[in-house]
Amino acid sequence: MNYALVTGASRGIGRSISKRLAKDGFCVLLNYCSNHAAAQETLSEIEAEGGHAELLPFDVSNEASMDEALEKWAAAHPDDYISVLVNNAGIRMDNLMVFMQDEQWHKVIDTSLNGFFYVTRRLVKDMMTHRYGRVVNVTSLSGLKGLPGQTNYSAAKAAIIGATKALAQEVAPRKVTVNAVAPGFIATDMTKDLNEADLKKMIPVGRFGKPEEVASLVSFLASAESSYITGEVISINGGLYT
């Protein structure tokens, strides 16, 4: 069995990625922090479609929590390793920087950026040992161009883009690829508070994207067919930022 870990897998883009990777034949480890009901719903949907998945709760921003969860998983699967990692976990706490509180800065950075660091550092070692692996980082349009009111989120996502390019060069000799996808406005819980009617006028294709469209791109980057693509950041935004 091939295993893929998706962080922040309970809803939105993470749920769609998890369902697609399960269709691709992976046993998907569904990471979530606190929303057990949503994670269980994702698991049930995967199993209803004949796929395989396991719940793997831990807080990506808490290194000890992450280590404990992955050590338990590794002990229960001594002959297996996680060959695909999708770093999707992230939160938004928007505010103009002059009004931004310390907590709003640190929570966003801790979840998106430190979470990427803790989980990837641990799992990429096994990928290198087995001389095969795929890391796909879900970043954002905000990380490419910056968006007002999202200094914290833009900083975290831009940092992941830089880390993607650096790590890709470090692990390429071991046949491990590291890429990022940068969604624009995707119709999920995270964007439901945005004014879609006004924003879609800015998008050349005239609509918000679907989580399933992001999942299709991640599916390709997580496959063996993408072995000559690494260090790339692929935008999926309907032409909003080209």
Side-chain angles (χ1 to χ4, degrees):
M1 180 70 71
N2 294 317
Y3 290 88
L5 170 59
V6 180
T7 67
S10 62
R11 297 181 298 169
I13 290 174
R15 175 177 288 186
S16 291
I17 291 172
S18 298
K19 293 174 67 175
R20 177 56 187 265
L21 292 179
K23 286 183 178 179
D24 292 343
F26 289 96
C27 179
V28 183
L29 308 180
L30 305 171
N31 163 257
Y32 65 98
C33 183
S34 59
N35 196 337
H36 178 79
Q40 182 61 53
E41 185 176 342
T42 303
L43 175 64
S44 297
E45 290 180 7
I46 289 173
E47 291 179 338
E49 295 175 358
H52 300 279
E54 302 174 12
L55 297 182
L56 193 63
F58 62 84
D59 180 355
V60 297
S61 69
N62 185 318
E63 185 179 7
S65 169
M66 178 274 300
D67 272 334
E68 181 181 4
L70 290 177
E71 283 175 9
K72 286 182 179 179
W73 185 88
H77 301 79
D79 298 324
D80 299 308
Y81 81 106
I82 297 168
S83 63
V84 171
L85 168 61
V86 181
N87 286 301
N88 171 70
I91 59 172
R92 279 179 46 215
M93 299 183 76
D94 295 354
N95 207 344
L96 297 176
M97 188 171 182
V98 293
F99 302 121
M100 188 172 289
Q101 302 300 304
D102 289 356
E103 182 183 35
Q104 292 175 308
W105 175 267
H106 289 297
K107 280 196 171 182
V108 170
I109 297 294
D110 285 347
T111 300
S112 291
L113 183 56
N114 292 345
F116 151 81
F117 172 67
Y118 294 142
V119 180
T120 306
R121 180 178 60 175
R122 181 181 180 96
L123 296 187
V124 80
K125 293 177 183 177
D126 284 340
M127 295 180 190
M128 294 174 70
T129 298
H130 288 84
R131 300 188 67 84
Y132 181 86
R134 298 285 183 265
V135 179
V136 184
N137 300 317
V138 180
T139 179
S140 172
L141 172 67
S142 297
L144 290 169
K145 70 181 296 289
L147 289 177
Q150 291 191 342
T151 304
N152 49 1
Y153 190 72
S154 298
K157 295 301 187 180
I160 291 173
I161 288 172
T164 295
K165 293 176 178 293
L167 180 60
Q169 297 174 66
E170 294 177 6
V171 300
R174 292 284 180 167
K175 297 181 172 55
V176 178
T177 65
V178 186
N179 291 290
V181 298
F185 294 110
I186 307 297
T188 66
D189 289 347
M190 188 175 279
T191 59
K192 66 182 180 182
D193 60 331
L194 302 179
N195 189 326
E196 183 173 351
D198 286 344
L199 288 170
K200 70 182 184 181
K201 296 175 185 177
M202 303 163 48
I203 304 171
V205 302
R207 64 175 176 85
F208 275 22
K210 302 174 183 177
E212 294 80 9
E213 293 172 314
V214 180
S216 293
L217 176 56
V218 173
S219 169
F220 173 68
L221 293 175
S223 73
E225 295 177 337
S226 65
S227 61
Y228 204 55
I229 301 172
T230 196
E232 290 299 315
V233 182
I234 303 176
S235 293
I236 177 164
N237 58 31
L240 178 59
Y241 182 65
T242 57

